[in-house]
Amino acid sequence: MTRPNFLIVVADDLGFSDTGAYGSEIRTPYIDALAQDGVRFTDFHAASACSPTRSMLLSGTDHHIAGIGTMIESIKDFQRDKPGYEGYLNDKVVSLPELLRDNGYKTYMSGKWHLGLSKERWPCSRGFDRSFSLLPGAANHYAYEPQLEGEDKRPALLARTPPYYVEDDKHIPPKDLGPNFYSTDAFADKLLQYLSERTKAEREQPFFAYLAFSAPHWPLQAPEEDILSYRGRYDDGPEALRQERVQNLKKKGLVPEHAIPHDVVAPHKQRLMSRDWDALSSSEKAYSSRTMEVYAGMVQRLDSQLGRVLDYLRSTQELDNTFIIFMSDNGAEGTLLEAAPIMGENIFEHIDKYYNNSLDNMGRFDSYVWYGPHWASAGTAPSRLYKAFIAEGGIRVPLILRYPPLTSARPEESIEHTFCTVMDLYPTILDLAHATYPTDTYHGRAIVPLRGKSWLDYLAHQLSISSSSTNGEPTVAPARIHADETVHGWELFGRLAVRQGRWKAAFIPRPYGPEVWELFDLDADPGETRSVAAEHPEKLRELLRAWSEYVGEVGVVKEPLEYGTLVVEEGKAKV
């Protein structure tokens, strides 16, 4: 097999059903076209937040090993200075672009980095030949920051998310980004620039391109023409949308017919965006639905800009030799500022003073809005919860794969229900690139092994099944990427989960969960609506032993006993 190019596209905080290919009303024709002659995955899992997932994608191992044991913005005192909690992609791992560059690939990045702020940790220092990057985890999409008055200071959230862009090894001040700057457009522009500037000799080399959009991450902002496409579309509220999305997912075969959506979890009723739709006034409903219109506009814009890149590859006859992945980094964002306490600095007063969130201005450069847990739950349904949680709504994300040598023989709009993770992409790409991961050391430094598993054998096996079916020959039972006995763990922000095959144990503290270990049969109950710990106490004990092993393997700083002492009583596991 000829070595392909690679285009890895990551959307930021995109919900499971937020594209047309996954049942959305949002217009995403280019993403849908990838799914038309590619493969949609329904059981692909990431971490529950941005930088942990990105570290796993580029390292092929668990984020607790790769340096992002937690998000650096929320690191706790007990985690500081601990191995695996450096807050950047550490030197225990070989970044994917580093290894591909060693093996003759040109490497390009355009998008959000979120894996280190110091220059020695920028993309240019981790294997990218050319890079244009937003370094922090978020920023105003128009690179706007209001001028503060007197002694006013930016609240911590805004101070941590400035429009800090770099190209290669140079910082670009916001004023130099241009008067018409918008992040999604700029990321597509830069990648197209890098690809078009290749010399004749460089065009003979395969490329690895990482297009990491910062949309539709908050603050919700989009060009007016994209927002207007959805005017009035969401006036029936988030619950109507949630039910519509679930039915569309079932019709498309992306979730089973028996799936029961988990109830929306929105505990902070003092916040507008957490209140039930029926409790809102007409003006509050208009505000709420407008936030969703802006969100939809962001997704539509992302699709159109991705389309420009795909059209370019088609024009250069490189599209069909490019292994393309489209994915989200975690579930939809349902918590921003909804749980923020009003003490010390008051971010709400700051936003009211310095931003214009009027109905007509929402989504423009000087607005600052988010859409809350109800709209987020429409994007993650039928799953439970959303970003930052280890429930399926936070970690099960959409993934579309298109690469004709592996997907063209499949039926149109093919679907894969096998379990897999973001760590698997690294070894899959290495296999396709005919590259080998180094043993023990890399450039004189000790490194850790990969934890992901290549999909290549599985995809080739599925391709042979499709070919046999077409030829009328008998097929064999499909394999799995990960054996049922394989254990996978998640931990972030004190929320814990472990999975083995169809079984999953999860611990979610109050007020978002019961603060006991629960057990779910995901085949029977993909929405995690009912714990079956009482019926299967031994299975829960087995998974908790596996959880303890996972903690030791990846170096989760907080040992299980520090979460409490396990007690299994009347079917409930408490800590």
Side-chain angles (χ1 to χ4, degrees):
M1 188 180 291
T2 303
R3 297 205 304 171
N5 305 309
F6 299 102
L7 173 62
I8 309 302
V9 184
V10 179
D12 201 351
D13 295 359
L14 184 79
F16 185 76
S17 66
D18 280 338
T19 62
Y22 281 81
S24 179
E25 73 295 335
I26 301 173
R27 291 184 279 279
T28 54
Y30 284 99
I31 295 169
D32 300 350
L34 293 177
Q36 182 74 22
D37 57 354
V39 184
R40 288 166 294 171
F41 286 71
T42 66
D43 208 10
F44 175 74
H45 285 71
S48 62
C50 311
S51 51
T53 290
R54 292 157 201 273
S55 72
M56 295 163 76
L57 169 64
L58 294 182
S59 72
T61 192
D62 191 279
H63 63 94
H64 295 91
I65 295 172
I68 313 291
T70 191
M71 294 179 68
I72 192 64
E73 298 90 342
S74 58
I75 194 165
K76 306 295 185 184
D77 286 342
F78 71 86
Q79 298 167 325
R80 293 187 186 279
D81 302 320
K82 299 295 193 301
Y85 289 77
E86 293 87 355
Y88 54 79
L89 195 64
N90 66 26
D91 292 329
K92 294 180 184 177
V93 303
V94 184
S95 78
L96 180 56
E98 286 175 323
L99 200 51
L100 289 175
R101 188 166 66 179
D102 290 347
N103 282 270
Y105 274 75
K106 296 298 295 181
T107 55
Y108 307 108
M109 177 186 174
S110 187
K112 172 175 154 180
W113 179 237
H114 207 190
L115 293 174
L117 294 175
S118 59
K119 183 172 286 191
E120 67 272 15
R121 303 295 172 187
W122 290 4
C124 63
S125 300
R126 295 312 305 257
F128 286 103
D129 292 319
R130 298 298 314 274
S131 57
F132 172 74
S133 305
L134 172 69
L135 293 185
N140 184 295
H141 293 279
Y142 292 97
Y144 167 78
E145 286 191 302
Q147 294 299 310
L148 304 187
E149 299 175 1
E151 300 298 317
D152 286 359
K153 294 182 179 179
R154 298 188 202 284
L157 175 72
L158 300 180
R160 290 196 306 264
T161 54
Y164 197 94
Y165 287 86
V166 300
E167 184 165 24
D168 301 328
D169 61 351
K170 306 294 184 186
H171 170 235
I172 306 174
K175 63 180 178 62
D176 294 338
L177 292 169
N180 299 315
F181 180 86
Y182 178 68
S183 65
T184 300
D185 295 9
F187 293 143
D189 288 344
K190 276 297 178 182
L191 182 56
L192 288 168
Q193 175 191 329
Y194 297 154
L195 291 172
S196 64
E197 288 178 348
R198 288 174 293 169
T199 65
K200 184 177 180 181
E202 288 172 341
R203 290 175 187 271
E204 296 299 315
Q205 297 176 252
F207 68 78
F208 171 81
Y210 178 38
L211 180 56
F213 291 109
S214 57
H217 195 292
W218 51 262
L220 304 184
Q221 297 171 312
E224 188 73 10
E225 62 267 28
D226 291 294
I227 299 172
L228 288 173
S229 300
Y230 300 93
R231 187 58 49 86
R233 177 62 177 82
Y234 303 109
D235 287 354
D236 289 337
E239 183 57 25
L241 180 64
R242 190 167 78 106
Q243 295 301 329
E244 176 187 329
R245 293 275 191 92
V246 170
Q247 290 307 309
N248 289 343
L249 286 166
K250 290 181 177 181
K251 288 177 183 176
K252 287 179 174 287
L254 293 164
V255 301
E257 282 291 337
H258 66 262
I260 299 172
H262 195 284
D263 291 339
V264 175
V265 180
H268 302 284
K269 301 301 186 185
Q270 74 276 21
R271 303 286 184 226
L272 170 62
M273 301 307 294
S274 290
R275 295 179 202 155
D276 293 339
W277 184 254
D278 291 342
L280 301 182
S281 67
S282 58
S283 62
E284 289 170 336
K285 287 179 178 179
Y287 180 96
S288 178
S289 61
R290 185 61 51 85
T291 65
M292 185 61 205
E293 292 171 12
V294 178
Y295 180 91
M298 294 182 80
V299 177
Q300 177 172 292
R301 189 70 171 202
L302 182 155
D303 179 81
S304 68
Q305 297 306 300
L306 170 59
R308 294 173 57 216
V309 176
L310 299 177
D311 285 344
Y312 170 83
L313 294 177
R314 187 176 290 107
S315 73
T316 59
Q317 299 184 331
E318 293 174 290
L319 182 66
D320 287 345
N321 189 40
T322 300
F323 179 91
I324 300 173
I325 291 287
F326 174 84
M327 60 171 282
S328 180
D329 60 348
N330 44 249
E333 170 65 273
T335 59
L336 179 70
L337 298 186
E338 291 301 290
I342 300 179
M343 54 179 149
E345 62 182 21
N346 189 329
I347 190 170
F348 300 99
E349 289 183 356
H350 182 91
I351 290 173
D352 287 344
K353 181 175 180 178
Y354 288 105
Y355 294 88
N356 177 3
N357 287 340
S358 64
L359 206 59
D360 290 338
N361 197 65
M362 204 181 298
R364 295 178 181 171
F365 73 96
D366 58 344
S367 66
Y368 199 103
V369 298
W370 56 98
Y371 72 171
H374 292 280
W375 294 111
S377 294
T380 62
S383 296
R384 176 190 189 190
L385 287 164
Y386 24 75
K387 175 184 176 180
F389 293 91
I390 47 68
E392 291 298 285
I395 60 176
R396 186 180 71 138
V397 298
L399 180 135
I400 299 170
L401 161 63
R402 183 192 187 272
Y403 179 48
L406 290 175
T407 60
S408 61
R410 289 170 171 261
E412 286 190 351
E413 298 185 336
S414 184
I415 299 171
E416 273 294 350
H417 298 296
T418 189
F419 173 85
C420 48
T421 85
V422 67
M423 293 183 290
D424 300 335
L425 294 176
Y426 190 125
T428 303
I429 289 170
L430 286 194
D431 277 356
L432 288 165
H434 305 164
T436 302
Y437 190 78
T439 303
D440 299 329
T441 62
Y442 178 76
H443 291 183
R445 68 178 194 263
I447 58 171
V448 296
L450 300 176
R451 287 179 68 89
K453 183 176 180 181
S454 174
W455 298 350
L456 189 55
D457 287 346
Y458 177 83
L459 292 172
H461 178 70
Q462 297 302 100
L463 181 65
S464 69
I465 292 173
S466 298
S467 299
S468 297
S469 298
T470 302
N471 296 331
E473 299 174 3
T475 62
V476 297
R480 295 178 181 271
I481 293 174
H482 295 277
D484 279 346
E485 62 269 21
T486 305
V487 171
H488 300 269
W490 291 265
E491 184 278 331
L492 199 62
F493 312 133
R495 298 151 186 167
L496 328 171
V498 59
R499 177 171 171 174
Q500 190 175 42
R502 67 192 292 173
W503 298 101
K504 178 181 174 183
F507 178 85
I508 300 176
R510 294 187 180 93
Y512 295 94
E515 208 158 326
V516 299
W517 278 99
E518 300 174 283
L519 178 68
F520 300 102
D521 177 348
L522 294 178
D523 284 356
D525 181 22
E528 296 173 299
T529 63
R530 188 178 75 87
S531 174
V532 293
E535 294 95 318
H536 303 280
E538 184 50 45
K539 174 56 69 174
L540 180 57
R541 292 187 185 96
E542 178 186 339
L543 284 177
L544 292 177
R545 288 191 290 270
W547 161 257
S548 182
E549 293 174 4
Y550 165 76
V551 167
E553 287 177 8
V554 305
V556 175
V557 166
K558 204 169 188 180
E559 296 294 334
L561 288 180
E562 292 187 54
Y563 289 111
T565 302
L566 173 65
V567 178
V568 179
E569 180 180 3
E570 296 181 349
K572 289 187 176 181
K574 301 180 179 181
V575 293

